[in-house]
Amino acid sequence: LKQGITNATGQVILLLDADLEGLENQNIHELLDPVVSGDADMTLSLRKNSLFIYRILGVDLVSGERAIHKEILENLGDYENSRFGFESILNEYIVNNKLSFQSVRWDNVTVAPKHQKRGFWKGLADEMKMINEIMEAVPIHKFFYILFKMAAKPSKSKN
């Protein structure tokens, strides 16, 4: 991830999970347009099958689908050794630096759950590993602080 960001030549970076289902060109534009136009420093998706609490609050903190100015990522600091914690580190940076963001609802896009891709037990183990990495990157009290700070922003509804 860090090497890709470093080698990217554009001013806006688009991050997408590889296992999205139902993704259309319009979804990409919905994610990119607010950042390109200057209406937001970052956007993040809120997929159809995001966790129920995220859908209620209007923001998915672990969404891998984001558009963001490359300069922000260059100033982010050390995230090289954090796979699943990257999004949490980025969220904390956005909140702490009072940067603007928009949550973009993707009612047509889903991501395959880990248990569907890897089987129940391996999927469960992967979920536990992901949660552990997130909590190592950002302690639980900070995670909830960031969640409620970001949930206070309205999401943009599309599709």
Side-chain angles (χ1 to χ4, degrees), residues 19-33:
D19 55 354
L20 297 174
E21 298 171 357
L23 183 68
E24 299 174 359
N25 286 338
Q26 182 63 29
N27 300 118
I28 305 264
H29 289 286
E30 292 165 0
L31 212 55
L32 281 171
D33 289 347

Side-chain angles (χ1 to χ4, degrees), residues 6 20 26 29 36-37 40 44 46 51 53 55 57 60 71 78 89 96-97 112 119 126 133:
T6 300
L20 297 174
Q26 182 63 29
H29 289 286
V36 172
S37 69
L44 62 160
L46 182 61
L51 290 177
I53 187 70
R55 286 185 280 126
L57 295 173
D60 184 345
E71 179 182 345
D78 182 29
I89 292 167
N96 288 345
N97 289 282
D126 286 350
E133 287 181 25

Side-chain angles (χ1 to χ4, degrees), residues 88-152:
S88 296
I89 292 167
L90 181 54
N91 296 337
E92 183 178 30
Y93 184 86
I94 294 293
V95 168
N96 288 345
N97 289 282
K98 297 179 173 57
L99 299 176
S100 63
F101 66 91
Q102 287 183 16
S103 185
V104 179
R105 288 187 180 269
W106 281 355
D107 294 333
N108 62 305
V109 179
T110 60
V111 65
K114 289 178 182 25
H115 70 272
Q116 190 177 46
K117 295 183 288 187
R118 310 225 340 119
F120 180 79
W121 293 112
K122 286 183 180 178
L124 181 62
D126 286 350
E127 289 287 348
M128 293 291 121
K129 185 176 179 182
M130 179 182 74
I131 291 167
N132 185 55
E133 287 181 25
I134 290 168
M135 293 301 114
E136 284 178 3
V138 177
I140 190 102
H141 68 282
K142 283 188 181 179
F143 181 87
F144 283 108
Y145 171 79
I146 292 164
L147 174 62
F148 289 108
K149 284 295 242 185
M150 291 182 80

Side-chain angles (χ1 to χ4, degrees), residues 1-3 5-6 72-83 85-86 89-90:
L1 181 65
K2 180 129 184 167
Q3 185 160 357
I5 291 167
T6 300
I72 294 170
L73 295 173
E74 291 171 337
N75 293 327
L76 188 56
D78 182 29
Y79 60 88
E80 195 163 345
N81 296 321
S82 184
R83 293 177 3 172
F86 169 76
I89 292 167
L90 181 54

